[in-house]
Amino acid sequence: QVQLVESGGGSVQAGGSLTLSCSASTPVACMGWFRQVPGKDPQEVALMNTEGHRRYSPSVEGRFTISRGSADNTLVLEMTSLTPEDSATYYCAADGDRYQCYWQSVTKYKILAQGTQVTVS
């Protein structure tokens, strides 16, 4: 079973930047991030597969950048121009089905990290 450990997050003023990182115990086909605010449905943020294909939520495209390490078991989300609407708990998630994972929402992935809080004021 793949295990994920994420780091980063914290508090920042509007307009600032933060970087989230996620490390998987083994390489995995798709890795991504979703975020959730209490009382609301989880929202996919970004996704990247081992072929280098990326997908962003329209709400973050142009401001967030997702990347993976050369060993395909690390994931980085660089977040810039943050707004209070970006405040949420961010979860790194992964899926190993290389034929299906890119076509699914990250919010449906079953392999999850512990979550990290991002607060923008």
Side-chain angles (χ1 to χ4, degrees), residues 13-79:
Q13 291 188 337
S17 301
L18 284 173
T19 298
L20 306 181
S21 299
C22 181
S23 178
S25 54
T26 61
V28 61
C30 287
M31 296 181 72
W33 302 89
F34 69 89
R35 63 190 181 187
Q36 189 163 25
V37 175
K40 293 189 176 182
D41 291 335
Q43 178 191 29
E44 178 178 290
V45 175
L47 161 68
M48 186 172 179
N49 67 7
T50 51
E51 283 72 42
H53 297 115
R54 297 173 171 87
R55 184 171 74 226
Y56 295 96
S57 164
S59 64
V60 307
E61 189 152 22
R63 299 187 298 122
F64 292 11
T65 301
I66 191 170
S67 60
R68 296 186 67 161
S70 58
D72 284 332
N73 65 334
T74 59
L75 186 72
V76 174
L77 185 69
E78 297 176 65
M79 305 184 293

